[in-house]
Amino acid sequence: SVAAATATTLGDLVLRGGARHPPTALFGGPVLCVASLSYDREGRPDGTAYLYARKEGTEASDMRAASYSTVGPSLPYPDLAVWDDAGRTCAMVTGDRIAVYQVQNSSFSLVGTAPVLSAVRSDQGSIVVESLKFIQGVLY
């Protein structure tokens, strides 16, 4: 038995992009989203995200980093990522757009995108989506 405050190492996840782009955000769920944000020479943000899913044939109890590998292409740096309860549909907010993805048989595909029509604006004027939630298969 392990005490609640005890750290446990499960290994190192081999990241796409290597050490050049260290992670700056993690979004949990059935598929792990690791995002890296950097800035170009003009100071504009430039970020990407990669998804990591369990390798096929991995035991459900195997939580080691070696049990995961990347799925799908690189994605734009998300401001927010949420999953439905079944772990098959993901919504990611990037700036003023929401993208919905589906996972089937370790394949990750874009279902569609939509603009954010109504949201809070930050003091810099950019749109801020504070939360998303799937309820009964509907995204709110």
Side-chain angles (χ1 to χ4, degrees):
S1 136
V2 177
T6 302
T8 303
T9 299
L10 299 174
D12 294 323
L13 187 64
V14 177
L15 299 176
R16 280 175 63 181
R20 298 178 293 138
H21 303 288
T24 56
L26 296 173
F27 299 96
V31 175
L32 178 65
C33 177
V34 179
S36 300
L37 184 63
S38 57
Y39 294 89
D40 66 16
R41 293 178 191 195
E42 285 79 41
R44 293 180 303 233
D46 178 31
T48 57
Y50 296 101
L51 300 169
Y52 296 83
R54 287 181 171 281
K55 294 177 183 174
E56 289 199 31
T58 302
E59 302 259 343
S61 62
D62 186 356
M63 302 305 274
R64 295 173 302 130
S67 303
Y68 290 82
S69 65
T70 58
V71 293
S74 64
L75 302 168
Y77 187 92
D79 299 313
L80 181 63
V82 297
W83 288 88
D84 69 347
D85 290 336
R88 289 189 290 261
T89 307
C90 174
M92 291 187 176
V93 176
T94 302
D96 62 353
R97 298 206 60 83
I98 297 175
V100 177
Y101 298 90
Q102 254 185 341
V103 177
Q104 292 180 359
N105 302 327
S106 297
S107 165
F108 196 78
S109 58
L110 176 66
V111 174
T113 65
V116 175
L117 299 176
S118 159
V120 175
R121 293 204 176 262
S122 72
D123 47 347
Q124 288 89 21
S126 60
I127 292 177
V128 177
V129 175
E130 295 183 359
S131 68
L132 293 172
K133 177 82 174 156
F134 282 99
I135 300 174
Q136 302 277 328
V138 177
L139 179 63
Y140 292 92

